Amino acid sequence: MPLYLMPLIPFLGFLILITFGGRVFKGSSGGWIGSLAVLGAFVVAISNYMGLERPIHEQYFAWLPYLDNGKDLKVGFYLDQVSSIMTLVITGIGFLIHVFSIGYMQDDPRYTRFFAFLNFFVALMLILVLGDSYPLMFVGWEGVGTASFLLIGFWYNKRDYANAARKAFIMNRIGDLGFMLGMFLLYKNFGTLVIPDLAEKVEGITAIMPALELVGLFLLLGAAGKSGQLPLTTWLPDAMAGPTPVSALIHAATMVTAGVYLIARSYFLYEKAPMAHEWVAWVGALTALYGALSAINQYDIKKILAYSTVSQIGYMILAVGVGAYWAGMFHLVTHAFFKALLFLTAGSVIHGCHHEQDVRQMGGLAKKMPITHAVGLIGWLSIAGIPIFSGFFSKDAILTSAYEHNIWMYAIGLFVALLTAFYMTRWYVLVFRGQYRGHAHPHESGPIMTFPLIALAALSTLGGFIGLPHIFGTNQLSHYLEAALPIEESHISASLEWTLIAVAVATSVLGIFIAFMLYRQRRIERIGGIENASVQALYLNTLYDNLFSAPSRALAKGLDAMDRGVEGGLEATAKVSTEPGGWLTHLQNGYVRAYASLMLVGTAALLLYLAIRVLGGMQ
């Protein structure tokens, strides 16, 4: 099937829903139309995946025809093994999130508009991953930024939610600047921005080009903005303000992984820019640590998962930074499974607890919501890195690659694995174990919401088997991706790999054990020591507020005072000028007798004047 059908079908869904809206589509019909549109895109993605033997490159029309001398830029889509994986994740996970939303959003007055925005988001995300050139990728890049602004601020009548949408929009623009500067430098040096052509030219370079190092750093800035990496990470946890399905779509399957995709898609640049490549790895490692430390003592059921996303995306960036591109893509896929599952589980809990989001007001939900508990259990074990769940395999692949590249990065990754197991166990026990501490009447969600949960739980359980370590068997994923990405063979012995696996599993078990011990001692709700630092996300927001927001507010207040002073002066001048006129308006009262009296007085005054003149002349 033609590639353009993939973004076209959900885009048509968006046009239909936004044009006719709830006036035409009553009940849940709008939700089903939106879901079927994404399902149609998924069918196209599956058909192309099944028949993909070599990259498919379709060019449709000239975008900038005035760029002659072979520098014309055509609009086209490019599907290789990397983008094929992305299309499956976006449309497959996106479809399940759409179905979940049919039940979750059923009471919202802007129900149909919500699905229109979801379709719009999916269409632009597909343009991002299918674009054959950086400019077309940038169109999708900006488009998902706009769509995420609409979705995060969907409940815009709440001020905090609207501010969260603005924050996400502004911080993403900083990253976009880096993306654009990278494109400008590439075009100046190579005369093309079509990715396959660019890869061919760059791979022919034998010496290190300083410009490529700069390009790599600019693209890293773009990836940091879109994927919530340091230092542009603070917008991502605040994006929890959107409806929970939006959190699942943005934080699990789509937008936040765009930065990982950008770096993996640009591997040929980073292979020629070792310094920039090393920066990628360190940014990923430090962000993974930052996200894990920030998640330890959060109380909002979604914010714990949001900081977890920051940390897990850091793992992916670390992987592509150390050259293990396939491991980064592997964790991208498994993370889409278990993080979408965890977010939708949180959505089911919030729905069942009448919109309560504080984990201190939950507990004991295992009995009241058995299906939600069962799938949440699978999601927890998967992200904690427990065999045989999917998160174990992908996290182990990243840690092994980090061990081969830099022992300090490996140590950070291992410590993050310990923290992840700890805070996700805290999340699980506070929500599902013990006695219910809230005041609502929790109830299980309906089939329309539990079906996607069960499907994602199955994927979270079995999805990791596509990337088995070589000591376990054939790694199907790395074999599939080797046609599009460089796959480096592991140089460690089988015994060492067994040791690394054992250490990783033991670390996860230790994290779970510590969390359960604190739970038994009733100390799990508030973790002493770094409690405040964790709640405040290591004060990064405070730092930015002091460095940028406070001076900006002071400057704005100064300019406002000056503006008010100038305006007040002009108003006073105008008032003084118009005051005499105001007095005379009293004479314009509309009474004929008054006008006649004035005429009489005026005539008398004139006659008196003339009389005085005449009498004066006679003397």
Side-chain angles (χ1 to χ4, degrees), residues 233-234 236-240 289-311 343 356-362 419 422-431 437 523-528 530-542:
T233 189
T234 56
L236 199 150
D238 290 356
M240 291 298 96
L289 181 61
Y290 166 81
L293 289 172
S294 301
I296 285 177
N297 212 72
Q298 297 293 327
Y299 299 120
D300 188 305
I301 187 173
K302 288 169 63 179
K303 274 210 169 183
I304 298 172
L305 299 179
Y307 282 109
S308 163
T309 299
V310 171
S311 182
F343 267 117
E356 178 60 68
Q357 293 189 206
D358 192 330
V359 292
R360 292 169 295 186
Q361 300 298 318
M362 298 178 185
L419 294 176
F422 174 80
Y423 69 70
M424 285 309 301
T425 305
R426 176 178 178 269
W427 177 89
Y428 169 74
V429 297
L430 286 177
V431 174
R437 300 178 294 276
R523 294 166 52 201
I524 194 69
E525 284 190 18
R526 303 181 65 179
I527 311 300
I530 64 167
E531 178 186 352
N532 289 332
S534 178
V535 171
Q536 298 296 326
L538 308 189
Y539 302 104
L540 192 58
N541 266 316
T542 307

Side-chain angles (χ1 to χ4, degrees), residues 26-74:
K26 304 295 183 185
S28 61
S29 58
W32 284 111
I33 290 173
S35 302
L36 290 174
V38 179
L39 180 62
F42 179 64
V43 171
V44 178
I46 281 281
S47 69
N48 282 288
Y49 167 80
M50 299 294 287
L52 187 64
E53 295 180 355
R54 60 177 61 87
I56 303 171
H57 194 181
E58 298 177 355
Q59 291 188 321
Y60 305 115
F61 57 88
W63 187 0
L64 301 174
Y66 52 85
L67 293 177
D68 52 9
N69 298 326
K71 296 182 179 179
D72 182 18
L73 183 61
K74 294 182 173 61

